[in-house]
Amino acid sequence: AALREAVQCRGVFIGVTATGLVAQLVTPLAPAHTTLAAVFCDGHAYDALQSGALVWPLPDWLPLALALLALGCLALWPQGDGRRAVPLRVLLGALLLSLPLLASAALLQLGHWWLPPALCTTGLAVALALRGATRLREASRSLQRAHMHAQATLRALNDAVVTIDAHRRSVHFANPAARRQALPHQLEGQQLQRVYPLSPDSHARLQQAIDTCLQEGENVYVRDLLELQPADGGAHEVRSLRTTV
C-alpha cells in the first residue's frame, strides 16, 4: 500500500542504473567528469515536458539576422587614427564579439529559447579581422607615402644629410649632397669614419657627438666647425653639424 501511494499519479521509469551494465550518457545533467544512465535522462526529459521547461530552438533565419545586426554595429567603430582611440576600439571589439553569446544566454535564461551563437560570432570575427587588415594596409600605405616624402625632401636639401645605424655605426642613408662630398667613396653600408672625408680631429668630435646623441636621445649641436678634406688634397671648413638619431 505504501508503494502504491508513492507511485500513484506519477510517472515511473524502470531501468538499470548500475555502471557498466547499460550504456551511460555524457550529459550536462551528470556530475562533473561522470556519465548518467539513460533511464535518468528519460526521467529528466519527462519532468521537463511536465513542467514546460523544454528548450525550444529558434528559427534558422534568426541567427543570420542577429549576425547582420551585429555587423551593422561596426558603423559605430571609431575612425580616429590617434592613439587615444585604440583602447576604445579594443573595448568595442570585445563587446561585439561577446554580443552573440550574451544574447544566446539571455534568451536561454529568460524564455528557454536556444539561439546558436557560433554563426554570429564567426561572422563578427571575420568582419573584424578584415577591418583590421584594411586599416593595417592603409596605415602601411600612409607610412610608405610619408617615407617617400621624407626621402624626397632630404634628397632636395643642399646640406649633407647622413643617417647611421645605431648598432653597427654604418651609413644607412646619405642624400646627394653628402654623396658628392664623399666621392669617390660609396657611403651606404660603410663605416662613416672610413669613407667620409673628415679630418681625424673632426671625426673624433663627430663620434663624440653621436655617442652623446645616442645616450641622451636628443639632438646634439656641434659648435666647432668640422674640417672636410676633399679629394684634391686641399682643405676647407663646412658649416656646423647637427647630429640626430
Side-chain angles (χ1 to χ4, degrees):
L3 180 60
R4 183 178 60 184
E5 292 178 358
V7 300
Q8 189 175 6
C9 300
R10 297 183 179 181
V12 178
F13 293 84
I14 300 176
V16 179
T17 60
T19 303
L21 298 180
V22 294
Q24 300 289 318
L25 302 179
V26 179
T27 171
L29 300 174
H33 308 292
T34 60
T35 58
L36 195 66
V39 65
F40 283 123
C41 291
D42 295 338
H44 282 292
Y46 177 78
D47 183 66
L49 285 171
Q50 291 292 101
S51 60
L54 291 178
V55 176
W56 302 95
L58 291 173
D60 295 336
W61 58 267
L62 197 56
L64 180 60
L66 182 60
L68 294 176
L69 177 62
L71 291 177
C73 293
L74 290 177
L76 302 176
W77 196 267
Q79 298 295 330
D81 294 330
R83 294 184 178 180
R84 295 181 180 179
V86 173
L88 181 59
R89 289 198 298 267
V90 173
L91 178 60
L92 184 56
L95 290 176
L96 286 176
L97 287 177
S98 62
L99 179 61
L101 186 60
L102 293 176
S104 179
L107 290 173
L108 187 63
Q109 180 69 25
L110 298 177
H112 299 285
W113 295 315
W114 170 240
L115 178 67
L119 176 63
C120 186
T121 304
T122 303
L124 271 177
V126 172
L128 290 174
L130 292 177
R131 183 181 178 89
T134 301
R135 293 182 62 88
L136 183 62
R137 183 168 60 252
E138 293 175 353
S140 177
R141 291 177 179 175
S142 178
L143 288 176
Q144 186 177 6
R145 288 193 297 268
H147 178 72
M148 294 175 62
H149 293 164
Q151 293 283 348
T153 302
L154 292 176
R155 289 189 176 95
L157 292 176
N158 292 326
D159 296 332
V161 178
V162 177
T163 61
I164 64 172
D165 185 275
H167 301 286
R168 295 182 299 175
R169 303 297 176 89
S170 59
V171 178
H172 180 69
F173 168 81
N175 69 340
R179 294 175 184 174
R180 287 193 298 268
Q181 292 179 357
L183 287 176
H185 301 288
Q186 296 293 330
L187 291 179
E188 282 82 354
Q190 303 296 324
Q191 296 292 325
L192 182 65
Q193 189 172 1
R194 295 180 180 178
V195 296
Y196 206 77
L198 293 176
S199 65
D201 181 65
S202 296
H203 267 302
R205 283 181 286 161
L206 178 60
Q207 187 62 42
Q208 182 180 3
I210 292 175
D211 293 338
T212 304
C213 181
L214 291 175
Q215 292 175 2
E216 298 180 359
E218 298 180 354
N219 295 347
V220 177
Y221 182 76
V222 181
R223 297 184 179 275
D224 298 329
L225 296 178
L226 302 182
E227 184 180 353
L228 182 67
Q229 297 177 338
D232 57 6
H236 63 276
E237 291 185 336
V238 296
R239 61 181 298 180
S240 298
L241 175 67
R242 183 185 297 274
T243 60
T244 60
V245 176

